[in-house]
Amino acid sequence: MSRYLSMVNQKLLFARLLLEDIDQTGVNPYRHQAVLESVVFQLRLAYHFHLQEIAANYQCPQPGQVNVVAELSQQLRALNKWPAEAQEMQSLLDTDGSWLAQLLTSHDNCFLAGDTRTPETADPAPQFISLTRLDDGSAAIELTAESVRNWLSSLVEMIDRHREGMFEC
């Protein structure tokens, strides 16, 4: 078993474990938001290691250097390989509103300064200064338990399909 496959499986497990606890966080909206963002990070890590898993499976020279689909495609082109796995992920990324584009955008949005994704029902703590996000043109993705569950399900389905295809090769 490749180390990348193991890392993908581990991150998917971590996401599932976090989602099991999501209903217990409802009392505290900050805890709820923290768990949702944690799931997003685990899903992004699973996707990251899946890219590397594909690169290793196709004997790319530096699978550990693959961080995005473009880098995977670049290494595969150098080997004259055009696997459907990379094409599918690029197609998903090129499609506005696809589950993969939403997941990666949600992950990237966690790094925006002035993020105000905390639920409006939360009482603002007096020691915090309210921040407003400046419009940077990025699409707002509503982060909910349902959306992260759907992303997990879609990611697992895609990974399983890719693994079946790579196994047959």
Side-chain angles (χ1 to χ4, degrees):
M1 181 183 300
S2 87
R3 64 182 171 166
Y4 302 111
L5 182 141
S6 296
M7 292 302 296
V8 171
N9 291 345
Q10 180 190 64
K11 300 311 172 190
L12 293 174
L13 172 64
F14 289 172
R16 285 184 188 103
L17 292 173
L18 286 164
L19 279 171
E20 286 177 6
D21 296 336
I22 197 73
D23 295 329
Q24 299 170 6
T25 65
V27 175
N28 185 327
Y30 295 106
R31 182 178 305 263
H32 187 79
Q33 186 68 28
V35 171
L36 289 174
E37 288 183 19
S38 296
V39 173
V40 168
F41 272 81
Q42 294 302 321
L43 294 177
R44 176 59 178 94
L45 287 169
Y47 169 74
H48 169 84
F49 288 118
H50 181 58
L51 292 172
Q52 294 178 343
E53 177 186 357
I54 294 169
N57 188 63
Y58 284 99
Q59 285 99 31
C60 289
Q62 297 178 316
Q65 299 299 313
V66 173
N67 297 301
V68 293
V69 174
E71 293 168 352
L72 173 62
S73 296
Q74 181 181 9
Q75 285 198 31
L76 291 167
R77 273 194 306 272
L79 300 172
N80 287 325
K81 296 182 180 182
W82 311 96
E85 296 88 357
Q87 293 172 14
E88 176 187 3
M89 289 184 288
Q90 188 60 59
S91 177
L92 283 169
L93 293 175
D94 292 341
T95 303
D96 287 339
S98 73
W99 68 267
L100 185 56
Q102 288 180 358
L103 169 61
L104 298 183
T105 299
S106 181
H107 173 263
D108 292 346
N109 285 348
C110 290
F111 293 94
L112 296 177
D115 195 349
T116 57
R117 286 170 285 136
T118 304
E120 290 180 23
T121 57
D123 294 327
Q127 69 268 27
F128 295 117
I129 298 172
S130 177
L131 299 174
T132 303
R133 179 186 299 183
L134 298 176
D135 185 15
D136 65 352
S138 65
I141 305 290
E142 184 177 3
L143 194 56
T144 65
E146 181 182 358
S147 64
V148 295
R149 281 188 179 103
N150 289 338
W151 296 337
L152 171 61
S153 175
S154 296
L155 184 60
V156 167
E157 179 184 314
M158 182 183 75
I159 289 169
D160 287 345
R161 190 173 56 256
H162 288 176
R163 286 177 176 169
E164 287 176 19
M166 288 186 295
F167 182 73
E168 292 172 3
C169 293

